[in-house]
Amino acid sequence: SMEPTLRHGDCALVNGGDQDINRDGIYIFRFQERLVIRRVQHLIEGGVQLSCDNPAYEKQRISERQLGELEVMGRIIWLARRK
């Protein structure tokens, strides 16, 4: 869902101590017993938008009230492309 930024087989370094989504970036979340990676963008009206870099996937708006329900595992701080 994050292609072309992150492809199958690529490596990502996750800062597990950065679990507050207080800035835009790419984060890893636990959602319904699986891990998902999404780009986070803060919205002017509050809350965030979660999106995939692949346009085939829908964006999701998360209100400020719903933010506490997200289980943030960390922020991706480095990517390595597999050849």
Side-chain angles (χ1 to χ4, degrees), residues 32-76:
Q32 296 179 348
E33 302 302 318
R34 62 188 178 111
L35 297 177
V36 295
I37 297 173
R38 296 291 184 265
R39 185 173 297 277
V40 172
Q41 179 183 11
H42 284 80
L43 302 171
I44 292 172
E45 65 270 12
V48 297
Q49 178 171 276
L50 303 180
S51 60
C52 301
D53 289 355
N54 183 333
Y57 292 83
E58 301 259 335
K59 296 177 181 177
Q60 297 173 297
R61 288 181 176 257
I62 307 295
S63 69
E64 284 188 66
R65 184 176 49 83
Q66 295 171 309
L67 284 176
E69 299 172 21
L70 287 177
E71 186 177 355
V72 182
M73 305 305 294
R75 185 173 60 88
I76 294 180

